[in-house]
Each structure stands twice: as structure tokens, then as C-alpha cells.
Amino acid sequence: MREMSGHESDFGAIRAELATLTRSMREIAATLRKLESKLVEDIPRHHSNTFRAIEALIAVYRELDSRPALPQVASPDGGWAISAELARLLVEQVLLYRPKVIVEFGSGTSTVVLGHIAKRLPDVRVVSIEHDSLWYADTLVALNAQGLHNVELLYAPLTPTQVQGREFVWYDTEALSGLFDIDFVLVDGPPSHIGPEARYP
């Protein structure tokens, strides 16, 4: 049995490394082809979503006639704030149904939008309930910056509450004690990370 020389041994190791590199390059090429295919699909969709969001935001500004810039809405890819499309839907629905008492759970950009709508409608009460003290403070600053003193922003920490024999963590119901004849509700909280079915109550 012939023993391999040092050169032959080195050559074998190099061939093994080349084979490994070739496999890696093929895997990379396959991954790049998948990414390219995904980009070809995603770019037009993102472009379309962005275009729709811009259209919706223009419609909201036109309807509200707001001089100060509204707080930031969510990007087409998502975010904590409401989307431009939801802001437009909110404006359309409130102007269509003319509710007298509007309550929202979870404050933010939507609170400012509701405050602007309420300026156009007589005898509308807007109540926003927020559990996060920092978010509450941010919303209050946003309302003041917009000159919207017609929104009741209430702080209600999350507490255990019973609903149909089940326990949830939800807004302290003391915040709701003075609310009657509610005819429009926006449920935008608590956030989903609080737990499963966080908004069920």
C-alpha cells in the first residue's frame, strides 16, 4: 500500500476545502435567488401600501383641516401608532354616524384625530383611557400642542378584572364610572404583549 506524500496530502485537503466552498457557494446562490424572488414580489406591494398610506393621510388632513402636523402614524410595515388608513376610516365613521359619546382604549395619534373631529361636531364627548403613564404624558403633550382641550384623557392602570367568570388584566373600571350612553368605541389597547386576549374585556 503506497503512502501519500506530503504534497498529495495537501492536495487532498485543498480538494476537500474546495468541495466545501463549492457547496457553500451553491447554497448562497440559492438563497440569493430566493431573496431576489421575494424582493420582486415585495417591492410592488410595499410601494402600493405606501401610496395608499399617503393618499389616506392626505384625505385625513383635508377632512380635519389641521394646521399643526398630526402625530406620526404607523408606517405601512406596522408600528404602535394607528395607520393612515385607520385614521381615515375613523374620520369617515365618526362623521357618518355622529356619535355623542366616543370612548377609546389606548391613546395616541388616534386621540388627536378624534379631538380634531370633535371640534367639528357639536356636543361630542371624547374620552380616551390610557394605562401607561409615559404614553399618557406623551398624548397629553400632543393634545396640548394641537390646542385640543376637548378630549378627556384618563389614566387607568391595568388591574385584575373578572369577565364572565374569567380573570383578565384590564383597565381599572373606576375610570368608566362616569360614562353612560357610549355609542362609539375604539379598542386600541391594552397592547397584545399584556397577554392572550388582552382586549377581550
Side-chain angles (χ1 to χ4, degrees):
M1 183 174 182
R2 187 174 72 83
E3 292 184 7
M4 285 194 299
S5 68
H7 289 302
E8 288 175 316
S9 176
D10 289 345
F11 184 67
I14 290 170
R15 286 182 62 185
E17 285 184 21
L18 282 172
T20 301
L21 284 171
T22 301
R23 283 195 299 272
S24 295
M25 292 297 291
R26 285 175 181 156
E27 289 171 3
I28 290 169
T31 301
L32 286 173
R33 283 194 296 273
K34 288 179 183 176
L35 286 173
E36 182 183 17
S37 175
K38 184 165 175 47
L39 282 172
V40 168
E41 292 176 6
D42 286 354
I43 287 175
R45 180 170 57 82
H46 284 295
H47 176 75
S48 175
N49 289 347
T50 301
F51 184 76
R52 284 200 303 271
I54 291 170
E55 276 191 320
L57 199 53
I58 290 171
V60 169
Y61 272 97
R62 187 187 304 121
E63 198 66 59
L64 297 183
D65 191 27
S66 170
R67 294 189 181 278
L70 293 171
Q72 185 175 354
V73 294
S75 73
D77 295 324
W80 284 99
I82 63 170
S83 67
E85 290 92 337
L86 180 54
R88 181 176 62 184
L89 180 64
L90 196 54
V91 171
E92 290 171 350
Q93 294 299 300
V94 173
L95 292 179
L96 175 65
Y97 290 106
R98 307 282 173 134
K100 293 298 183 184
V101 180
I102 301 172
V103 176
E104 75 162 345
F105 295 98
S107 69
T109 302
S110 55
T111 315
V112 173
V113 170
L114 287 170
H116 275 292
I117 302 170
K119 283 172 66 176
R120 293 186 49 184
L121 302 176
D123 304 321
V124 175
R125 183 183 181 192
V126 177
V127 181
S128 180
I129 297 170
E130 178 57 57
H131 79 280
D132 185 292
S133 58
L134 294 177
W135 203 267
Y136 171 91
D138 286 347
T139 302
L140 194 58
V141 168
L143 289 169
N144 288 332
Q146 299 275 328
L148 298 172
H149 308 294
N150 56 342
V151 176
E152 299 172 47
L153 182 61
L154 306 179
Y155 175 66
L158 300 181
T159 59
T161 186
Q162 294 282 331
V163 178
Q164 297 178 341
R166 297 169 62 191
E167 185 168 288
F168 296 88
V169 175
W170 200 65
Y171 301 97
D172 186 348
T173 53
E174 284 296 315
L176 307 177
S177 60
L179 294 173
F180 303 97
D181 301 322
I182 301 167
D183 47 9
F184 192 100
V185 178
L186 174 62
V187 181
D188 196 24
S192 58
H193 66 77
I194 297 299
E197 299 183 287
R199 299 179 181 180
Y200 178 78

